[in-house]
Amino acid sequence: GIQAENSNLTDIALGIPGAVHEHEITHLPRFPHLLGSELAERIKGKTKASFCLENDLNAIVLTEVNEYRDFAHIAWIEGCIGVGIVLNGQVIKGSQGYAGEVDGLFVDGEAECIRLAKCIVALTCVLNLPHVFVSGRIYEDELIARALREVEKCIPKERIPQIHIVEDVQGLCQRGL
């Protein structure tokens, strides 16, 4: 498989679109039969590489952590916004694996630019991050511009983090192969 094709592969992170706490899937609405630690245990038994089961956005920020020490990555994935957060070079997971679950900030039917703006404002006000990466369907220039106009209504322009657009998240995730 992948290890045979990539002999230098030493670490594997599998990203799950839900909450993961200590290698156990604790919340995965689309695939409830995968809850628990069985998936991680089965994969660990089949690989020689170091393996970690992680939230999908936390797996993405693990690929970026060597270049930046303090940042967040906001991604629009399958109709949901997720956030991976890194402080002092460490992925912040929260006490139960929910650090980047921001759906509670949104009202049903809100425009994507408002959702993105709320994420940026919350991350800036609470963590004062210098960098925010944005990927997925929400990276369109006009949407970003509208979101930043909304952000400027809430916080001073000099506090707004530098926004980085990541168009090739798949390539980012495979960078380690």
Side-chain angles (χ1 to χ4, degrees), residues 84-162:
I85 303 167
V86 173
L87 290 175
N88 296 319
Q90 300 294 313
V91 178
I92 303 302
K93 299 177 183 183
S95 62
Q96 299 296 315
Y98 281 92
E101 301 298 322
V102 296
D103 283 337
L105 294 173
F106 311 132
V107 176
D108 286 341
E110 271 183 323
E112 293 171 1
C113 66
I114 299 298
R115 290 177 180 224
L116 178 57
K118 282 183 173 183
C119 284
I120 294 170
V121 168
L123 291 165
T124 302
C125 290
V126 174
L127 302 172
N128 200 30
L129 298 169
H131 301 277
V132 171
F133 293 83
V134 179
S135 65
R137 214 177 114 226
I138 58 175
Y139 69 75
E140 300 159 358
D141 291 342
E142 180 54 32
L143 190 137
I144 298 289
R146 286 186 305 183
L148 288 175
R149 286 193 296 273
E150 292 297 321
V151 170
E152 288 176 0
K153 293 177 185 177
C154 301
I155 57 178
K157 204 171 196 171
E158 61 273 5
R159 283 199 64 209
I160 297 173
Q162 183 177 357

Side-chain angles (χ1 to χ4, degrees), residues 3 39 54 57 61 72 101 125:
Q3 264 188 311
L39 179 63
E54 192 54 82
L57 264 295
V61 297
E101 301 298 322
C125 290

Side-chain angles (χ1 to χ4, degrees), residues 13-89:
L14 176 60
I16 299 294
V20 177
H21 181 63
E22 297 179 0
H23 299 287
E24 181 176 331
I25 301 170
T26 59
H27 180 70
L28 191 59
R30 287 196 169 169
F31 304 99
H33 61 282
L34 292 177
L35 293 176
S37 59
E38 182 182 349
L39 179 63
E41 291 167 7
R42 290 180 77 182
I43 293 173
K44 279 183 191 178
K46 295 184 183 223
T47 181
K48 294 175 186 167
S50 170
F51 173 76
C52 93
L53 182 67
E54 192 54 82
N55 166 274
D56 51 359
L57 264 295
N58 287 350
I60 288 172
V61 297
L62 284 170
T63 67
E64 298 166 311
V65 76
N66 291 330
E67 295 177 43
Y68 297 90
R69 293 196 42 80
D70 299 296
F71 67 94
H73 189 126
I74 302 170
W76 179 270
I77 301 172
E78 306 249 345
C80 297
I81 290 181
V83 179
I85 303 167
V86 173
L87 290 175
N88 296 319

